[in-house]
């Protein structure tokens, strides 16, 4: 399967990036994780890699959501990495935005950094996702609609 390469311009420079969807298991839940890889000076340049953990909290247990980083998110990842040591002009290798080094200073609206894809001993993701949700709860998930008295679609229960 081919990965789609996307282009993004930051400060007059062209970057190419891709995202691959994964999931990570926590002790109490599963979470969507998107591995973002970025190149700034061709395919042989030093890649930037960030594993982005979705902050979505779902009511139906171990099922991942559909969150995917948008170009604005990737731009933020690139800008942060450039100011924290990533040099895309270097040939070869990968610069990792890791949870252990960068999570305390870096967070996106819908994502946290995680090391869980590369290291099973990394911090438990469910605890971090729930903590983030408690600090910044999103809009509530609406309850299923109930039939109103004016509903003329038929009886709610089958006829005897």
């Amino acid at each position: 399967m081919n990965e789609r390469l996307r282009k993004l311009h930051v400060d007059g420079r062209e970057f190419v990036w891709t995202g691959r969807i994964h999931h990570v298991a926590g002790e109490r839940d599963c979470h969507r994780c998107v591995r973002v890889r970025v190149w700034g000076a061709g395919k042989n340049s030093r890649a930037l890699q960030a594993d982005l953990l979705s902050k979505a909290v779902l009511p139906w247990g171990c099922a991942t959501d559909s969150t995917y980083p948008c170009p604005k998110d990737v731009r933020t990842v690139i800008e942060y990495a450039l100011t924290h040591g990533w040099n895309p002009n270097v040939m070869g290798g990968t610069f990792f935005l890791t949870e252990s080094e960068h999570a305390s200073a870096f967070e996106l609206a819908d994502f946290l950094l995680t090391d869980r894809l590369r290291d099973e001993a990394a911090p438990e993701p469910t605890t971090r996702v729930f903590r983030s949700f408690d600090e910044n709860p999103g809009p509530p998930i609406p309850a299923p609609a109930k039939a109103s008295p004016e509903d003329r679609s038929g009886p709610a229960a089958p006829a005897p």
Side-chain angles (χ1 to χ4, degrees):
M1 178 159 103
N2 292 334
E3 289 184 11
R4 180 174 171 209
L5 294 176
R6 297 160 173 90
K7 293 182 181 181
L8 183 67
H9 289 82
V10 177
D11 294 332
R13 180 182 193 147
E14 183 176 87
F15 292 89
V16 177
W17 69 279
T18 188
R20 179 174 276 180
I21 299 168
H22 298 270
H23 79 277
V24 293
E27 291 176 12
R28 297 175 282 167
D29 210 346
C30 296
H31 306 277
R32 185 179 191 117
C33 184
V34 180
R35 174 167 282 168
V36 173
R37 290 186 51 90
V38 182
W39 297 266
K43 66 181 183 178
N44 294 324
S45 66
R46 175 157 297 159
L48 163 63
Q49 181 173 305
D51 292 336
L52 303 177
L53 176 69
S54 172
K55 296 189 325 187
V57 174
L58 305 173
W60 46 82
C62 197
T64 61
D65 60 299
S66 61
T67 308
Y68 193 81
C70 64
K72 179 179 125 180
D73 296 323
V74 177
R75 176 184 303 278
T76 303
V77 168
I78 291 169
E79 290 170 344
Y80 179 87
L82 287 170
T83 61
H84 288 84
W86 177 46
N87 181 351
N89 293 321
V90 173
M91 289 295 131
T94 302
F95 181 86
F96 295 98
L97 274 188
T98 62
E99 173 185 353
S100 58
E101 293 179 45
H102 302 279
S104 62
F106 182 82
E107 184 174 332
L108 295 168
D110 295 323
F111 296 98
L112 301 168
L113 288 173
T114 186
D115 291 340
R116 203 66 182 272
L117 279 181
R118 294 184 316 113
D119 179 7
E120 289 185 22
E124 204 283 311
T126 304
T127 302
R128 294 181 61 229
V129 169
F130 285 174
R131 184 180 326 119
S132 176
F133 180 80
D134 289 342
E135 292 170 359
N136 302 301
I141 296 173
K146 294 182 181 178
S148 70
E150 293 85 31
D151 186 3
R152 298 173 200 237
S153 62

